Amino acid sequence: MIPYSKQSITDKDIDEVVRVLKSDFLTQGPCVPQFEKALEDKFGVQHAVVCSSGTAALHLAYAGLGVGPGSIGVVPAITFSATANAFLYLGAEIRFCDVDQSTGLICCDSLEHLLKSIKHHSDLKSVVVSPVSFAGATAPLDQVYEIAQKYGIQVVEDASHSPGSYCETDRHLIKSATCEFSEAACLSFHPVKHICCGEGGAVLTNRDDIANSVRSLRSHGIERPYDENHESPWFYQQNELGWNYRLTDLQAALGRSQLAGLDAQLSKRRRLATRYDHALSHPPFTLLLDRPLISSGHAWHLYIIRFKEKGLRDRAHKFLKEKGIITQVHYVPVHKHPYYEKRIGSISLPGAEKFYESCLSIPMFPALTDQDQNQVVNELRAFCESG
Ligand SMILES: Cc1ncc(COP(=O)(O)O)c(C=O)c1O
């Protein structure tokens, strides 16, 4: 069986985790700040605050921006539910923005249209938009930021898919997760992501106020104001209501070791993507839509192919599964989930719906061998020839 994605764990990763297991601290020890420092250096940000999942990172980042009842969270419809759910945890309302039907990335025209439609009234507390650097492609963060500034709203990049991703526009070199065009960026360390901690996440930001708030809320809203030289070094106080969203030292040690391998991992993913691009660009792959132009800085969390006709995608998924190749659909548009339909009613976002009908994520992970990748291409060829 060839999965659509899978973690890559090295002997060094295992040694790092074993070292923690033999140490005094399984959690709240030295590995957490070490991992945070490594993330700050890697992404060139002032603060990295690690936490228990990517969902927790989004929840903490939105909370750190003061999102609450009376706030509106704006989320592209093609993403994992977590990007939207975390707004609801805080009592905010949600609005879904359409995506570019060829890339699945947030559509800036749709964003501007949506922001224009938001009525400003005395109960409106704040508006936050979360562009998702989907599948490893950098979202149009510069344009989103420009629109956000025009409308006085804040930006949190959901960079769960895109550490190490970048793209160049006429005006900017945009690097995912570096917070040049956002207040904060969130990472996920789920096993299918670039950096694996088992579960885990991080909030990255250049703003001291957000970092302080996120650090406090990650651990119940409790602070320890005194150092060991104070007469009451044990003293702690709870100033606000937070959660236990801490990352353990076991996970942080694994994360730091994985982060050191990020560039090598990205090279492997980019090489595999080039091989797929080359193999799939010739007949008989005429059932597939042409690829949009893709930046060489794509981080290839997912390799998504698109079928020309509705229904072909589902048949391809089944065909490949019977051959031992697991594929996945990213994503069911969030506004189409029964929970959200019940909550906001039935809305139509044609870009997201077209993307959803045709997309299929085929195997993409650093340990995918050339031989296994050739098998994926050959079975896909057989499907297209039979189709
Ligand atoms: C775009 C996106 N955002 C957020 C998350 C949530 O991350 P986690 O699973 O670490 O909570 C995911 C997870 O798949 C994701 O794909």
Side-chain angles (χ1 to χ4, degrees):
M1 199 260 297
I2 306 175
Y4 90 86
S5 186
K6 190 181 162 193
Q7 69 275 11
S8 297
I9 301 293
T10 64
D11 288 346
K12 180 173 167 292
D13 293 338
I14 293 167
D15 290 347
E16 293 295 331
V17 175
V18 170
R19 204 163 53 81
V20 177
L21 276 170
K22 292 178 178 168
S23 78
D24 290 339
F25 294 98
L26 299 190
T27 190
Q28 295 178 284
C31 292
V32 168
Q34 285 166 1
F35 183 28
E36 292 181 335
K37 174 77 174 62
L39 287 165
E40 287 161 4
D41 292 346
K42 182 75 191 166
F43 294 102
V45 291
Q46 294 294 316
H47 308 280
V49 185
V50 295
C51 56
S52 54
S53 68
T55 308
L58 289 161
H59 190 182
L60 288 167
Y62 299 161
L65 284 178
V67 167
S71 299
I72 295 177
V74 178
V75 170
I78 293 292
T79 184
F80 184 59
S81 305
T83 322
N85 291 351
F87 280 114
L88 301 187
Y89 299 160
L90 294 162
E93 271 180 52
I94 200 83
R95 299 283 170 85
F96 290 107
C97 183
D98 207 356
V99 301
D100 179 324
Q101 62 162 298
S102 63
T103 62
L105 294 171
I106 191 165
C107 166
C108 290
D109 289 343
S110 171
L111 174 63
E112 186 138 23
H113 186 71
L114 197 154
L115 293 176
K116 269 190 200 143
S117 75
I118 293 175
K119 304 269 175 294
H120 287 264
H121 51 77
S122 56
D123 292 341
L124 180 65
K125 187 178 172 196
S126 60
V127 181
V128 174
V129 59
S130 289
V132 178
S133 290
F134 169 67
T138 321
L141 297 171
D142 56 343
Q143 292 174 57
V144 170
Y145 198 59
E146 207 172 293
I147 295 170
Q149 291 197 313
K150 184 164 143 195
Y151 289 86
I153 70 169
Q154 297 181 294
V155 182
V156 173
E157 184 197 2
D158 184 338
S160 299
H161 294 186
S162 57
S165 140
Y166 60 87
C167 72
E168 267 179 86
T169 68
D170 299 344
R171 290 182 300 154
H172 300 115
L173 171 63
I174 313 169
K175 294 194 236 157
S176 179
T178 57
C179 304
E180 282 157 273
F181 299 103
S182 66
E183 315 303 326
C186 294
L187 298 175
S188 161
F189 304 138
H190 181 276
V192 298
K193 305 294 183 354
H194 296 75
I195 303 162
C196 161
C197 289
E199 295 280 357
V203 179
L204 310 179
T205 183
N206 289 318
R207 275 180 47 181
D208 297 349
D209 60 331
I210 296 176
N212 291 340
S213 172
V214 166
R215 267 183 212 290
S216 160
L217 291 170
R218 166 179 70 174
S219 196
H220 301 285
I222 286 174
E223 73 161 341
R224 292 177 186 275
Y226 307 133
D227 65 22
E228 64 239 33
N229 301 321
H230 190 272
E231 61 184 16
S232 309
W234 49 266
F235 182 75
Y236 65 92
Q237 63 189 13
Q238 184 181 340
N239 301 316
E240 57 190 333
L241 185 63
W243 306 277
N244 177 355
Y245 277 170
R246 294 187 300 265
L247 191 77
T248 65
D249 274 49
L250 294 165
Q251 292 165 311
L254 177 56
R256 189 160 73 118
S257 180
Q258 287 258 306
L259 179 64
L262 175 64
D263 290 345
Q265 225 218 79
L266 284 165
S267 303
K268 287 184 185 160
R269 288 176 185 266
R270 286 175 179 143
R271 177 181 168 277
L272 288 168
T274 305
R275 287 188 93 240
Y276 269 143
D277 285 348
H278 186 256
L280 302 180
S281 63
H282 303 294
F285 296 102
T286 46
L287 300 182
L288 301 182
L289 287 172
D290 287 340
R291 263 203 175 292
L293 210 59
I294 286 189
S295 156
S296 57
H298 199 298
W300 298 109
H301 164 53
L302 303 171
Y303 190 94
I304 299 178
I305 54 173
R306 308 272 313 282
F307 287 89
K308 279 184 182 160
E309 284 171 34
K310 191 171 183 295
L312 276 174
R313 187 273 311 277
D314 292 354
R315 279 177 37 220
H317 169 79
K318 190 160 173 279
F319 180 94
L320 292 170
K321 193 170 173 201
E322 282 163 6
K323 310 288 178 194
I325 296 165
I326 305 304
T327 60
Q328 187 56 271
V329 170
H330 296 92
Y331 288 99
V332 175
V334 188
H335 66 288
K336 288 292 178 198
H337 287 300
Y339 173 82
Y340 278 99
E341 285 207 323
K342 217 183 285 169
R343 193 174 176 112
I344 61 167
S346 178
I347 59 167
S348 163
L349 295 171
E353 286 149 36
K354 284 209 179 81
F355 187 86
Y356 162 61
E357 281 168 6
S358 58
C359 65
L360 193 66
S361 304
I362 61 175
M364 165 57 80
F365 52 94
L368 183 68
T369 61
D370 287 1
Q371 199 184 6
D372 282 351
Q373 191 185 29
N374 292 345
Q375 192 188 333
V376 175
V377 170
N378 289 340
E379 294 300 355
L380 206 48
R381 180 180 293 115
F383 174 77
C384 287
E385 280 168 351
S386 73

